[in-house]
Structures are given as structure tokens and as C-alpha cells.
């Protein structure tokens, strides 16, 4: 986790994601320092933003010679809608905070999602402690972690990323 020029971003050697800036610059006069930091490879050249709510930032990025590379369809939850379904018995949805839970998540992600470039446990611990907006969630069945995701709250919405499910628990509804 890195900070500079009023921004906070994630660094992960060898990976494009999550080597990404997630926030907007606090002041317009920060752009020259941000662009210099990117050219000097001190900052990632990628931004993730919610286009619907950050249309003005999207335009600013285009004005500073960034380009739109991808639009990811994703799952969004309205955090103000409290009518969440109740999970069945023996299924537990939990925020993963303990080192043992993060280790189980790392194993699950590295086995089922990021096979070629695995995550390091220290990276997940740094995300959890230094970027409180990033939250690791997991689903446990009989106490065993079977699926995991990264949550990124943004205003009234919650983006869910990097789902990883153990192969024996896939396609079960």
C-alpha cells in the first residue's frame, strides 16, 4: 500500500490488478505531480472508478491523456437496502480479519484464481490495515472457507471483486 500526491493506491509486483489508484485527487493542482509520479513509475498508471458517479473524473483523466481501457461489468449492492437474504444453516458469511482467515483466503485465491502470479499474505495484511475501504469477505461452510471476495465500498454502493470459489463448491447455487 502506497501513498503520495494526496492519493492512496495498491502495489503488487508482477500484477496489473490491484496495482491501481482507487480515489480521486483532492485538488486539481495535484495533476502535474500525479502524472510525473506515473511517468517515473512511482505510481500505477491505472484508475478504477464508478463511471456513473465519477463522470467528471473520467473527463479529467481523458484530458490528462489517460484512455478508457475497459469497463468491467460487476455486482453492486445498495448498502442502504437492508433486505438481504438469510443464508442457510451451516453457511456463514464473515469479514476475514484474522491472520488464519487471510491465509485461508490467500490459499483459495492462489489455487483457484491467480494461479500464475500468486498473492502474498503480507499484501493482504497491508490492504486490510492500511486501506480500510477494502474489505475481505468469505463464505464458510461448516467452518471451512469455500469462497471469498474483495469488497470496495464507494458512497452508497459496494463493489464486489475477485471472487474465488473452491472447485468442489462451484455451481451449487
Amino acid at each position: 500500500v502506497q501513498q503520495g500526491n494526496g492519493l492512496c493506491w495498491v502495489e503488487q509486483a508482477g500484477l496489473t490488478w490491484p496495482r491501481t489508484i482507487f480515489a480521486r485527487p483532492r485538488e486539481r493542482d495535484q495533476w502535474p505531480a500525479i502524472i510525473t509520479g506515473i511517468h517515473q513509475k512511482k505510481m500505477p498508471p491505472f484508475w478504477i472508478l464508478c463511471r456513473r458517479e465519477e463522470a467528471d473524473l473520467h473527463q479529467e483523466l481523458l484530458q490528462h491523456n489517460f484512455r478508457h481501457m475497459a469497463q468491467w461489468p460487476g455486482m453492486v449492492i445498495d448498502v442502504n437496502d437492508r433486505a438481504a437474504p438469510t443464508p442457510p444453516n451451516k453457511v456463514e458469511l464473515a469479514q476475514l480479519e484474522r491472520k488464519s482467515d487471510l491465509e485461508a483466503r490467500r490459499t483459495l485465491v492462489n489455487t483457484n484464481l491467480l494461479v500464475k502470479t500468486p498473492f502474498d499474505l503480507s499484501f493482504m495484511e497491508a490492504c486490510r490495515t492500511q486501506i480500510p475501504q477494502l474489505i475481505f469477505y468469505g463464505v464458510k461452510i461448516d467452518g471451512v472457507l469455500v469462497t471469498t471476495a474483495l469488497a470496495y465500498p464507494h458512497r452508497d454502493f459496494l463493489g464486489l471483486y475477485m471472487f474465488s470459489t473452491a472447485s468442489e463448491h462451484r455451481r451449487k447455487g
Side-chain angles (χ1 to χ4, degrees):
V1 177
Q2 305 291 321
Q3 295 184 21
N5 300 316
L7 297 174
C8 187
W9 65 90
V10 175
E11 278 288 348
Q12 175 73 9
L15 294 177
T16 301
W17 198 100
R19 192 173 183 270
T20 306
I21 300 170
F22 289 92
R24 73 168 39 251
R26 291 185 191 135
E27 305 293 332
R28 290 193 185 279
D29 62 359
Q30 292 175 291
W31 281 108
I34 292 168
I35 292 168
T36 299
I38 291 170
H39 284 295
Q40 293 174 347
K41 301 192 184 315
K42 294 179 181 177
M43 297 176 70
F46 301 102
W47 234 283
I48 289 183
L49 53 120
C50 176
R51 288 196 57 185
R52 187 176 80 203
E53 296 199 9
E54 301 287 353
D56 59 326
L57 176 56
H58 184 257
Q59 289 305 312
E60 281 186 61
L61 290 168
L62 292 174
Q63 290 170 5
H64 291 285
N65 296 318
F66 284 84
R67 63 187 167 96
H68 183 138
M69 291 180 55
Q71 184 168 339
W72 294 345
M75 295 177 230
V76 177
I77 296 172
D78 183 342
V79 296
N80 294 317
D81 181 4
R82 303 290 184 215
T86 303
N89 292 337
K90 298 184 182 180
V91 174
E92 172 192 1
L93 173 65
Q95 188 172 333
L96 305 178
E97 298 179 307
R98 295 189 323 250
K99 189 171 183 172
S100 61
D101 286 335
L102 293 177
E103 177 62 34
R105 180 184 193 276
R106 184 190 69 80
T107 300
L108 192 63
V109 168
N110 289 347
T111 304
N112 295 285
L113 185 64
L114 300 175
V115 178
K116 291 183 181 178
T117 311
F119 265 148
D120 183 76
L121 183 60
S122 63
F123 165 74
M124 288 190 291
E125 288 179 322
C127 284
R128 184 180 56 80
T129 59
Q130 297 179 31
I131 306 179
Q133 303 95 308
L134 298 179
I135 304 167
F136 297 112
Y137 280 101
V139 173
K140 295 180 180 182
I141 297 177
D142 293 324
V144 176
L145 187 66
V146 298
T147 193
T148 181
L150 172 67
Y152 175 67
H154 179 74
R155 296 192 182 139
D156 289 340
F157 294 91
L158 177 69
L160 301 172
Y161 302 93
M162 295 189 67
F163 277 87
S164 181
T165 302
S167 58
E168 63 272 16
H169 290 278
R170 293 181 183 164
R171 294 172 179 69
K172 293 189 176 184

